[in-house]
Amino acid sequence: NRLAVITNGGGTGVMAIALDVDEGIFDRLSVQFASSCNTATSCCDGGWLSDLADFYTSKGYTIPWSNTNASWQNGDGNCNVPCSSIAASPSYGIVSIEEQTIETQGVGQASAIANIKNVLNQGKAVWFGYFLPTKDDWDSFYDFWDNAGEDVTWNPDDSCGHTWDKVNGGGHAVLCVGYNDDDPDNSYWIMLNSWGTTPDRGNGIFRLDMDMDYDCQYYDRGYSYSLYWETLDIKYDESDLARTVTIS
């Protein structure tokens, strides 16, 4: 299910990078955990990053991908992994977790870019959620993802101003892990997607044009922003980073 509105994968990636940078623990965290156990959302609808933060605030821990039944299994759109079937040993205790919006809307391109860079330069990853309103917009992105190489840059500006299609419009979230601005004429964000690899995209990443319209909007009985940049302020429990809990 490649169009799961706004997925958990990007937010979980932000958490995993914080675990590595802040605690020196390099581990892939479970996306399935939130998908199966967050009763506030449906299994394939991860909600916003704030929803993920609320879930982990209530749980107080996260778990590795390698735990039994914790690997991602809802990619086909089926919700067939009961929360109770996911093993919770080991787990990583969380003291606090909060979504933080990165100011990019209505501030101008230069400020938007500077604000995103500021977060990345702190060793944090950035959650990027984007909405494409029409089938043509999504077909264009799918063609880019499936057929372009990792040295090709994508720009969502062509979707700006389009009218929302209730059948084909949708959103997705990916993980921004860095940037390259050595060439002012070809500056880009480095984005990690959760859709695996393709023959020409062996690392599962893509380049997002830095010189895009950060105020991009679509029309649906009024105009709404298409692009959202956020991160997490997360503090792990340093005395409780390999505990055993019971998932319920």
Side-chain angles (χ1 to χ4, degrees):
N1 185 9
R2 300 208 297 186
L3 259 183
V5 188
I6 299 292
T7 67
N8 290 312
T12 305
V14 176
M15 294 173 64
I17 287 177
L19 184 64
D20 182 19
V21 172
D22 296 341
E23 306 299 337
I25 298 174
F26 183 73
D27 201 354
R28 190 179 188 185
L29 299 180
S30 173
V31 178
Q32 188 65 48
F33 178 38
S35 185
S36 292
C37 299
N38 189 358
T39 58
T41 61
S42 65
C43 76
C44 283
D45 183 357
W48 292 92
L49 194 58
S50 58
D51 298 316
L52 193 71
D54 289 344
F55 169 72
Y56 280 109
T57 295
S58 67
K59 287 296 183 182
Y61 64 91
T62 186
I63 63 173
W65 181 287
S66 57
N67 284 15
T68 301
N69 273 337
S71 61
W72 179 243
Q73 299 165 68
N74 284 352
D76 59 1
N78 294 318
C79 307
N80 51 9
V81 183
C83 177
S84 58
S85 72
I86 300 175
S89 178
S91 69
Y92 302 114
I94 296 173
V95 174
S96 62
I97 180 171
E98 183 179 359
E99 170 267 339
Q100 292 185 331
T101 298
I102 301 171
E103 193 173 14
T104 58
Q105 299 169 353
V107 298
Q109 186 185 80
S111 292
I113 292 171
N115 291 341
I116 298 167
K117 285 182 178 179
N118 179 53
V119 174
L120 292 169
N121 290 339
Q122 295 175 48
K124 296 182 178 181
V126 171
W127 178 98
F128 173 60
Y130 58 96
F131 290 87
L132 299 178
T134 71
K135 182 179 184 300
D136 286 346
D137 295 330
W138 277 110
D139 284 347
S140 176
F141 182 76
Y142 289 148
D143 180 63
F144 162 78
W145 175 260
D146 291 334
N147 300 307
E150 290 184 345
D151 59 345
V152 178
T153 301
W154 178 62
N155 188 314
D157 284 3
D158 286 344
S159 70
C160 301
H162 291 180
T163 299
W164 186 262
D165 181 336
K166 293 181 179 179
V167 176
N168 297 298
H172 185 49
V174 294
L175 188 67
C176 182
V177 295
Y179 61 90
N180 188 319
D181 58 1
D182 293 341
D183 179 358
D185 295 324
N186 185 32
S187 299
Y188 55 85
W189 305 110
I190 302 170
M191 316 301 289
L192 178 63
N193 198 3
S194 59
W195 292 350
T197 61
T198 70
D200 296 314
R201 201 177 293 283
N203 297 299
I205 64 174
F206 68 92
R207 296 179 179 182
L208 176 65
D209 193 350
M210 195 178 287
D211 296 319
M212 61 178 176
D213 182 2
Y214 292 84
D215 291 322
C216 181
Q217 298 182 38
Y218 62 87
Y219 183 81
D220 182 16
R221 294 174 296 181
Y223 283 96
S224 299
Y225 284 109
S226 302
L227 313 175
Y228 297 83
W229 301 78
E230 301 179 351
T231 191
L232 289 170
D233 182 13
I234 181 169
K235 182 179 180 181
Y236 285 100
D237 187 345
E238 295 182 358
S239 65
D240 196 15
L241 289 177
R243 64 177 178 167
T244 299
V245 298
T246 300
I247 291 180
S248 60

